Amino acid sequence: EDQVTQSPEALRLQEGESSSLNCSYTVSGLRGLFWYRQDPGKGPEFLFTLYSAGEEKEKERLKATLTKKESFLHITAPKPEDSATYLCAVQGRTSYDKVIFGPGTSLSVIP
Amino acid sequence: NAGVTQTPKFQVLKTGQSMTLQCAQDMNHNSMYWYRQDPGMGLRLIYYSASEGTTDKGEVPNGYNVSRLNKREFSLRLESAAPSQTSVYFCALGGNGYTFGSGTRLTVV
């Protein structure tokens, strides 16, 4: 059964304090791993897709990396506007029509 | 969110009442999805439609029905609402990274 877990559940950082969010997954053949950002009261917003171990993607202060069992979302020198919930999701090769989401990590960046 | 319109944004129902959540897109995607989001449980797939005229069950379909009337519209119906269906409902479009609507916050009392 495809499964996604995320840690920590919540993270509080000072502005400028870099850190990483973890996404661990179990899937029968990875088709793609996705990162989303969700602001309160809004729908998730797509950030990245990673397809194979060793791949990396960057966008502003965010960098996503992928291994065979987990993905990390590194946040470098975060700002208050980076505060949001970050969701990880996977799509398996045998369930290409479905994407399984993790519970998310709630990030707060304090000025 | 641009391209995906969900209505209504908020709704309060009494137990046993019925309602339909509407989703319309203008992005010409074949695949459309209905998810529910509950605290600590993440997004769970209710139903999906890979193309016009087809629908399939997801992880939590019980208590729901769907209709894919045409390529643009995908509706979710609750025939007899229960308190356990209190949640935030999102419609999403397929592709390399889903596009989500802004959600419907439903409370069943």
Side-chain angles (χ1 to χ4, degrees), chain A residues 79-111:
Chain A
K79 298 182 177 181
E81 53 262 43
D82 294 322
S83 297
T85 296
Y86 291 85
L87 305 175
C88 173
V90 296
Q91 186 178 41
R93 294 191 183 279
T94 58
S95 59
Y96 64 91
D97 274 339
K98 304 173 190 176
V99 171
I100 308 299
F101 284 80
T105 293
S106 176
L107 173 66
S108 298
V109 182
I110 312 304

Side-chain angles (χ1 to χ4, degrees), chain A residues 5-78:
Chain A
T5 58
Q6 292 187 247
S7 61
E9 184 175 327
L11 181 63
R12 192 178 169 94
L13 298 174
Q14 289 294 129
E15 184 172 1
E17 180 187 2
S18 301
S19 188
S20 296
L21 312 182
N22 176 266
C23 170
S24 295
Y25 64 91
T26 304
V27 67
S28 53
L30 181 69
R31 185 179 177 90
L33 183 140
F34 310 90
W35 282 99
Y36 291 82
R37 169 191 171 124
Q38 186 174 23
D39 292 302
K42 296 189 177 181
E45 176 186 353
F46 171 71
L47 293 173
F48 306 110
T49 305
L50 301 167
Y51 295 103
S52 58
E55 189 174 1
E56 298 183 353
K57 293 275 179 73
E58 286 190 67
K59 181 179 181 179
E60 296 181 357
R61 294 175 293 282
L62 301 177
K63 183 170 78 172
T65 61
L66 181 64
T67 72
K68 288 186 177 180
K69 293 185 178 181
E70 56 191 351
S71 176
F72 293 93
L73 185 65
H74 306 278
I75 304 175
T76 302

